[in-house]
């Protein structure tokens, strides 16, 4: 009651003993709390089945009798809850006292009572009280757990429970500060407070305002540090143990579904228990990240990197089978942990970040595990496509006007190979999206190589055009198993569709096609127009005396359109030179069209 406290303070002020009285009152609270803390942690009381305390004989250690640990723990937590109530109550008294002191002025001298107390260099009473309480907590907890293994185990093992009690206490103290502030502000009009001037928002209350060099919440939680460290270390062991168990030294197989489930359950349980506090959540999340890293490292050791891991000739080898199992197991871990994080209600952003970074490393490991196989399949696809140059496309149209066969031999081989690879190898992976992300890139590359090689076929007769057009249609079917939908392949798919009609158009028509530069690069069209020229106008690779395979490699090494156009320009200039040398009267009809296209292409690069 502010009025009564104010009157009492006035009396002591008149008697000249205000400062001593307040010091005694605050010291009294501190002494009582110290007793409360000691009693709450008194192992002798905690371990007694009844309330009567018997004196332990010399050398008798106070410890819970076997089978009585649960009762001991229950009694301890009840005591701890009571202790928090006691601390809260005492704090409230001191906060209230300090509040009245800051508001009350002497009616004669108009001196504010708080100034009387502070003028001898004494810091404010709440601060003094709080430092005393927090120091007592630290020292009492330390000595109690040093002398009793059971207390130590209780606080370390159930640390989140202890932390929650402290967090609740802190919330209550702040709440009380807000309430007291409101009460004083609203009752400022009564007679007693008529002589008080409303002070600006209270700056004395340490629970409401963080001081630069003193953090009262940290002071409270300092007494918990050693238990937190022990708890986190035990938590990490709980997380690591199941992993070390399912990856025995010299083991060859990834964990079974059930074993993986138990690892996920442990992760979920550790995160759920830590959810009482954002800082603890973050610390445990970092432990979870280490756990995921450990799983990845152990999984990586199982991967086969020998030659048989990348073979694509026969059925799955032992090494390939194991690699598939490892990737599937990493995928399950990845998905399950993601689900656990999503189900965390108030998960701090930094904690989520820690776990997702570790998960990204798992995803990367999955990628590097399938890479040798993907490289191998890609090389084989390229090798099959390049054999189109061994077939004859120079023939004229047959009498029926249709090609003799639905598609070329190399295309049949390519379709068979891709279908077999998907069913023999990639079908066994459970992570379909992950597989398609990788194989779609392979499909795009296959289309790029197909168009590149098709544009280099020389000579190309009318019958050959018909067969090549059929191959373009069959190419869509060939890459279909590698993707969700062929149309998902984007630019590659549009190129395949746009290039096919150009086979039958005149060179003038091709030069004005809207697909040029937009969909199909200029360099590819120019390459194709060489096939319509007389043999004297040599393709860039013929002029350089390269094989088509070597030219294809050069194009891979020089992805920029500028380099490719420069090589084509060289070939055209060499042709002009050779016509001049033999004193020819005119250039091939396709030559001016090619020069015009080259200029247009160079202009778009500017």
């Amino acid at each position: 009651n502010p009025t009564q406290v104010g009157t009492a303070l006035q009396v002591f002020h008149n008697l000249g003993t205000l400062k001593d009285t307040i010091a005694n009152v605050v010291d009294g609270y501190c002494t009582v709390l110290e007793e409360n803390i000691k009693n709450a942690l008194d192992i002798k009381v905690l371990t007694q089945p009844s309330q009567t305390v018997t004196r332990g004989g010399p050398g008798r250690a106070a410890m819970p009798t076997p089978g009585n640990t649960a009762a001991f723990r229950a009694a301890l937590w009840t005591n701890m809850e009571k202790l928090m109530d006691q601390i809260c109550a005492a704090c409230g008294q001191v906060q209230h006292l300090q509040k009245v002191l800051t508001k009350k002025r002497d009616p004669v001298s108009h001196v504010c009572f708080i100034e009387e107390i502070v003028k001898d260099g004494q810091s404010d009473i709440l601060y003094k009280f709080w430092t005393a309480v927090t120091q007592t907590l630290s020292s009492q907890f330390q000595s109690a757990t040093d002398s009793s293994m059971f207390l130590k185990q209780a606080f370390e093992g159930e640390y989140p429970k202890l932390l929650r009690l402290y967090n609740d206490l802190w919330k209550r103290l702040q709440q009380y500060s807000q309430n007291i502030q409101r009460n004083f502000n609203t009752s400022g009009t009564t007679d007693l407070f008529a002589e008080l001037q409303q002070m600006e928002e209270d700056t004395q209350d340490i629970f409401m305002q963080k001081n630069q060099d003193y953090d009262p919440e940290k002071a409270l939680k300092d007494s918990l540090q050693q238990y937190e460290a022990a708890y986190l270390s035990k938590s990490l062991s709980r997380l690591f143990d199941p992993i070390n168990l399912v990856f025995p030294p010299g083991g060859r197989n990834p964990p079974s579904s059930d074993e993986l489930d138990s690892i996920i359950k442990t992760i979920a349980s550790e995160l759920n228990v830590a959810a009482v506090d954002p800082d603890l959540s973050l610390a445990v999340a970092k432990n979870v990240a280490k756990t995921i890293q450990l799983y990845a490292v152990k999984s990586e050791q199982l991967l086969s990197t020998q030659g048989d891991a990348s073979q694509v000739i026969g059925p799955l080898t032992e090494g390939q089978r194991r690699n598939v199992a490892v990737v599937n197991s990493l995928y399950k871990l990845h998905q399950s942990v993601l689900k656990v994080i999503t189900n965390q209600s108030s998960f701090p952003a930094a904690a989520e970040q820690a776990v997702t970074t570790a998960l990204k490393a798992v995803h990367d490991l999955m990628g590097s595990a399938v890479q040798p196989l993907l490289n191998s399949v890609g090389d084989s696809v390229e090798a099959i496509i390049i054999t189109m140059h061994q077939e004859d496309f120079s023939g004229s149209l047959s009498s029926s006007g249709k090609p003799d066969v639905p598609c070329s031999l190399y295309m049949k081989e390519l379709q068979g190979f891709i279908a077999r690879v998907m069913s023999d190898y990639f079908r066994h992976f459970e992570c379909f999206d992950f597989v398609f992300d990788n194989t779609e890139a392979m499909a795009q590359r296959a289309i790029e190589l197909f168009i590149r090689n098709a544009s280099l076929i020389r000579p190309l007769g009318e019958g050959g055009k018909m067969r090549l057009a059929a191959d373009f249609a069959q190419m869509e079917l060939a890459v279909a198993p590698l993707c969700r939908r062929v149309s998902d392949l984007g630019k590659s798919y549009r190129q395949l569709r746009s290039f096919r009609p150009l086979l039958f158009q005149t060179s003038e028509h091709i030069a004005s096609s809207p697909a040029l530069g937009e969909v199909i690069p200029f360099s590819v069209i120019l390459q194709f127009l060489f096939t319509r020229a007389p043999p004297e106008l040599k393709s860039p690779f013929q002029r350089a005396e390269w094989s088509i395979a070597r030219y294809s490699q050069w194009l891979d090494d020089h992805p920029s359109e500028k380099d490719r156009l420069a090589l084509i320009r060289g070939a055209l200039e060499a042709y002009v030179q050779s016509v001049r040398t033999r004193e020819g009267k005119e250039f091939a009809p396709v030559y001016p069209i090619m020069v015009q296209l080259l200029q247009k292409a160079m202009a778009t690069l500017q």
Side-chain angles (χ1 to χ4, degrees):
N1 182 325
T3 316
Q4 293 180 354
V5 174
T7 311
L9 291 175
Q10 184 67 62
V11 170
F12 288 117
H13 177 66
N14 295 347
L15 293 172
T17 58
L18 182 62
K19 197 154 77 184
D20 296 345
T21 309
I22 286 172
N24 291 341
V25 169
V26 176
D27 290 346
Y29 287 138
C30 292
T31 314
V32 171
L33 276 184
E34 185 167 355
E35 271 312 298
N36 292 342
I37 297 170
K38 275 186 187 155
N39 292 338
L41 299 175
D42 187 340
I43 191 78
K44 289 198 184 68
V45 179
L46 285 167
T47 48
Q48 288 311 318
S50 69
Q51 284 311 302
T52 53
V53 180
T54 52
R55 259 191 84 248
R60 278 191 56 189
M63 53 202 313
T65 48
N68 209 17
T69 313
F72 159 74
R73 286 263 170 114
L76 174 65
W77 291 116
T78 311
N79 279 8
M80 289 310 298
E81 279 171 21
K82 212 162 78 191
L83 176 63
M84 296 301 145
D85 291 343
Q86 290 162 335
I87 295 176
C88 193
C91 250
Q93 304 273 8
V94 179
Q95 272 174 291
H96 186 258
L97 181 57
Q98 170 141 329
K99 196 78 191 178
V100 179
L101 282 168
T102 51
K103 301 279 187 188
K104 182 96 175 94
R105 291 177 180 275
D106 179 49
V108 184
S109 66
H110 299 296
V111 171
C112 187
F113 284 181
I114 195 80
E115 289 165 13
E116 286 285 302
I117 298 177
V118 177
K119 70 175 175 209
D120 284 353
Q122 285 211 341
S123 55
D124 63 291
I125 57 169
L126 187 54
Y127 169 77
K128 187 176 159 209
F129 168 74
W130 189 244
T131 41
V133 172
T134 49
Q135 280 163 8
T136 307
L137 271 173
S138 289
S139 59
Q140 290 296 333
F141 267 66
Q142 179 76 52
S143 60
T145 48
D146 281 351
S147 58
S148 163
M149 200 54 197
F150 283 95
L151 273 179
K152 190 174 160 70
Q153 283 169 348
F155 287 153
E156 288 176 357
E158 295 186 75
Y159 170 71
K161 213 175 196 174
L162 185 60
L163 181 59
R164 200 185 66 235
L165 288 175
Y166 271 62
N167 280 344
D168 289 348
L169 169 65
W170 180 249
K171 276 202 197 87
R172 281 156 71 191
L173 294 173
Q174 287 190 303
Q175 192 54 52
Y176 185 76
S177 294
Q178 282 162 354
N179 293 348
I180 206 173
Q181 182 73 43
R182 266 200 300 275
N183 295 348
F184 271 82
N185 288 350
T186 50
S187 62
T189 52
T190 58
D191 292 343
L192 169 76
F193 286 103
E195 85 260 21
L196 297 189
Q197 288 163 293
Q198 273 310 118
M199 291 174 69
E200 63 282 9
E201 276 302 294
D202 191 11
T203 51
Q204 292 289 342
D205 190 334
I206 57 167
F207 298 128
M208 296 298 291
Q209 293 215 325
K210 285 267 169 79
N211 190 334
Q212 277 74 37
D213 45 4
Y214 182 70
D215 179 349
E217 186 180 9
K218 188 177 170 301
L220 172 65
K221 288 187 181 174
D222 274 350
S223 55
L224 300 180
Q225 242 162 4
Q226 51 166 330
Y227 311 120
E228 177 173 49
Y231 176 78
L232 287 173
S233 136
K234 285 195 176 112
S235 163
L236 191 61
S237 302
R238 283 195 294 273
L239 288 164
F240 275 14
D241 289 347
I243 294 182
N244 290 323
L245 207 65
V246 296
F247 286 100
R252 309 281 286 161
N253 296 316
S256 70
S257 234
D258 290 349
E259 289 172 330
L260 186 55
D261 282 348
S262 93
I263 290 170
I264 298 299
K265 276 196 187 113
T266 310
I267 289 177
S269 139
E270 290 299 320
L271 286 173
N272 289 339
V273 174
V276 296
D277 179 84
D279 292 339
L280 186 62
S281 274
L282 176 59
V284 171
K286 286 179 179 168
N287 277 353
V288 169
K290 286 180 195 161
T291 310
I292 297 168
Q293 284 160 359
L294 177 68
Y295 193 95
V297 168
K298 298 271 189 189
S299 298
E300 190 172 9
Q301 291 164 356
L302 297 180
L303 288 173
S304 161
T305 48
Q306 263 49 60
D308 72 336
S310 57
Q311 69 82 33
V312 285
I313 298 153
L316 271 184
T317 61
E318 179 54 40
Q320 285 174 323
R321 213 177 285 283
R322 192 165 67 244
N323 286 1
V324 167
V326 169
V327 170
N328 285 341
S329 140
L330 287 167
Y331 172 69
K332 269 190 207 144
L333 175 86
H334 187 279
Q335 296 307 96
S336 309
V337 173
L338 263 185
K339 201 167 154 196
V340 169
I341 300 180
T342 336
N343 292 341
Q344 289 292 318
S345 49
S346 52
F347 205 42
E352 193 169 333
Q353 182 61 48
V355 180
T356 18
T357 307
L359 287 179
K360 190 187 172 304
V362 168
H363 196 268
D364 295 346
L365 177 59
M366 287 164 65
S368 51
V370 294
Q371 206 50 54
L373 186 60
L374 291 168
N375 292 346
S376 211
V377 172
D379 292 347
S380 304
V381 166
E382 182 162 6
I384 294 170
I385 290 176
I386 215 161
T387 60
M388 71 164 73
H389 300 287
Q390 292 165 17
E391 299 192 29
D392 182 12
F393 286 91
S394 62
S396 52
L397 271 179
S398 61
S399 51
S400 69
K402 290 202 173 85
D404 313 329
V405 282
C407 68
S408 311
L409 280 174
Y410 75 89
M411 186 52 72
K412 271 207 183 90
E413 189 188 345
L414 183 64
Q415 288 178 342
F417 174 73
I418 289 179
R420 180 176 69 77
V421 161
M422 287 310 281
S423 74
D424 282 7
Y425 306 123
F426 293 110
R427 186 172 54 84
H428 302 288
F429 290 103
E430 287 161 17
C431 33
F432 302 117
D433 286 335
F434 168 75
V435 168
F436 278 135
D437 289 344
N438 285 291
T439 54
E440 279 174 1
M442 209 189 316
Q444 288 168 327
R445 167 81 177 151
I447 291 175
E448 181 194 345
L449 288 170
F450 171 70
I451 295 175
R452 175 187 295 175
N453 282 282
S455 70
L456 292 172
I457 292 175
R458 250 182 122 167
L460 182 62
E462 288 306 309
K465 282 182 189 174
M466 287 299 277
R467 202 169 87 227
L468 192 54
D471 290 346
F472 266 86
Q474 292 293 326
M475 186 63 185
E476 284 190 37
L477 298 176
V479 297
L482 296 172
C483 35
R484 299 169 181 93
R485 287 193 306 278
V486 183
S487 53
D488 288 349
L489 296 177
K491 199 169 179 186
S492 311
Y493 175 69
R494 293 201 301 280
Q495 274 185 19
L496 189 65
R497 280 290 172 101
S498 311
F499 197 97
R500 188 182 173 203
L502 302 182
L503 293 172
F504 304 103
Q505 293 177 4
T506 63
S507 303
E508 289 81 4
H509 237 104
I510 292 174
S512 59
S513 161
L516 254 166
E518 275 300 306
V519 183
I520 309 168
F522 284 107
S523 58
V524 175
I525 295 290
L526 283 164
Q527 238 165 231
F528 173 58
L529 291 177
F530 275 102
T531 64
R532 301 187 166 194
E536 190 184 1
L537 176 44
K538 291 179 174 174
S539 297
F541 71 92
Q542 292 170 327
R543 177 180 163 252
E545 296 183 349
W546 289 343
S547 67
I548 287 186
R550 182 169 171 201
Y551 180 48
S552 187
Q553 182 57 55
W554 185 90
L555 290 171
D556 285 340
D557 296 339
H558 297 79
S560 96
E561 194 66 345
K562 198 173 178 185
D563 293 347
R564 294 176 175 191
L565 292 170
L567 193 71
I568 290 170
R569 173 192 269 161
L572 290 175
E573 286 167 354
Y575 166 67
V576 173
Q577 208 50 51
S578 73
V579 173
R580 286 205 179 121
T581 309
R582 67 168 171 80
E583 296 177 352
K585 293 285 172 286
E586 56 185 22
F587 295 121
V590 78
Y591 171 74
I593 299 174
M594 292 175 75
V595 171
Q596 205 181 340
L597 255 187
L598 182 65
Q599 284 165 346
K600 192 172 163 189
M602 295 307 273
T604 57
L605 286 182
Q606 297 312 317

